[in-house]
Amino acid sequence: MDMVLVLSDDVAAASRVATILQRTFLVDRALSVREAKFAIKGGEHAGVIMNLEVASRGRVTAAVKELLAYGSKPILVLTGHQKEADIVQIFHAGADECLPSTVAGVELLARARAMIRRQENHLPVGADIVIGALRINPVGRVVTLDGRIIELAGREFDLLLALARRPGYTFGRHELQKALWGEHSPGRLNVNTYITRLRQKMGEVAGRPRFLHTVYGKGLKLHGSGVGQLRQPEQIAATVRKIES
């Protein structure tokens, strides 16, 4: 399930919007642009719903620009500024959607779904995916890390590609199984096996990840934190044995 961030300067308005969105999304909240920037730092949010009801048009457009400069997330703006010039300026600032604050809940939910779906489908199928020092070529099925090719088996590549297409998003167990085998999953143990193999070949371990981050109780996500260090195969094997013992 995708997570969206509701940015609102009004608690009651935020609750109304969150209640609507919770039919489809996990919902996080922020009461200021500063809080929103901190919230999206981890990259888990699929989009932002901005509802600054008492803000001027200038403040709304400035908030959109500030969030986009901090992280590339699709933004749906709810605002009372509905003159043509207002809407044009909000779109020019970088918003993906602009709706009146009084929009019906069913339309808000449909627009949010469509916005996020467009974002997920925006990446061309054959385009390289680059996350820090990690580069993935989906067509050639080639992975390089720090300029060196990593040899991955078929399902190891499929797992990495699924994670990389949605950097920062936490994949649950069922989603990881689906990435590996479609709807027909042989079980939990096999998922753990492929995660371990992928970590080993990328030179990292769960306790000090560079790209593959375990979210305890939720699943696995990929983002380039730069925290981990590249290790030699013998170091990796020894550390894995220590963790699993």
Side-chain angles (χ1 to χ4, degrees):
M1 183 180 290
D2 287 322
M3 179 182 291
V4 295
L5 176 67
V6 174
L7 166 58
S8 178
D9 52 7
D10 181 89
V11 174
S15 296
R16 169 185 171 268
V17 173
T19 299
I20 293 168
L21 295 172
Q22 282 170 352
R23 302 171 195 172
T24 297
F25 303 103
L26 297 173
V27 178
D28 194 7
R29 301 188 193 185
L31 293 176
S32 68
V33 175
R34 182 180 179 181
E35 285 185 14
K37 288 165 61 176
F38 180 79
I40 65 176
K41 184 176 181 180
E44 291 192 33
H45 302 88
V48 177
I49 313 300
M50 182 183 295
N51 186 24
L52 302 179
E53 292 191 0
V54 300
S56 65
R57 186 188 74 185
R59 185 180 165 211
V60 172
T61 56
V64 171
K65 291 178 181 178
E66 192 169 350
L67 285 186
L68 286 177
Y70 199 75
S72 181
K73 304 289 182 184
I75 298 175
L76 185 155
V77 174
L78 297 171
T79 179
H81 301 292
Q82 289 298 306
K83 293 181 180 179
E84 183 176 344
D86 297 331
I87 295 173
V88 168
Q89 286 300 313
I90 291 170
F91 275 119
H92 281 175
D96 295 85
E97 288 280 1
C98 184
L99 301 173
S101 301
T102 55
V103 64
V106 64
E107 181 178 355
L108 171 59
L109 192 57
R111 296 273 189 168
R113 287 171 177 163
M115 178 182 75
I116 291 171
R117 185 170 61 248
R118 289 196 303 269
Q119 178 76 1
E120 291 174 349
N121 294 335
H122 179 70
L123 184 67
V125 174
D128 281 9
I129 301 172
V130 180
I131 302 173
L134 178 67
R135 178 181 290 271
I136 304 168
N137 183 293
V139 175
R141 297 178 70 84
V142 175
V143 177
T144 59
L145 178 59
D146 297 321
R148 297 186 297 176
I149 294 178
I150 301 177
E151 299 290 346
L152 297 180
R155 286 202 171 99
E156 293 164 0
F157 181 89
D158 293 340
L159 177 60
L160 179 62
L161 181 60
L163 292 166
R165 284 197 181 280
R166 300 183 70 181
Y169 174 78
T170 301
F171 285 75
R173 178 68 53 182
H174 176 72
E175 291 171 300
L176 293 172
Q177 291 171 335
K178 189 174 180 180
L180 287 169
W181 298 284
E183 295 295 339
H184 305 288
S185 169
R188 176 175 178 174
L189 179 60
N190 290 282
V191 174
N192 292 338
T193 298
Y194 283 107
I195 292 172
T196 299
R197 290 178 183 173
L198 186 56
R199 279 201 169 108
Q200 289 176 340
K201 291 186 177 182
M202 291 181 66
E204 59 180 79
V205 293
R208 190 170 175 79
R210 185 180 181 188
F211 291 96
L212 302 173
H213 297 256
T214 298
V215 182
Y216 293 103
K218 294 182 179 181
L220 185 71
K221 67 179 178 180
L222 185 149
H223 72 83
S225 67
V227 174
Q229 297 175 346
L230 191 64
R231 303 183 179 203
Q232 297 302 316
E234 58 272 15
Q235 293 176 300
I236 299 166
T239 309
V240 170
R241 286 194 297 271
K242 183 177 179 181
I243 291 174
E244 295 180 345
S245 62

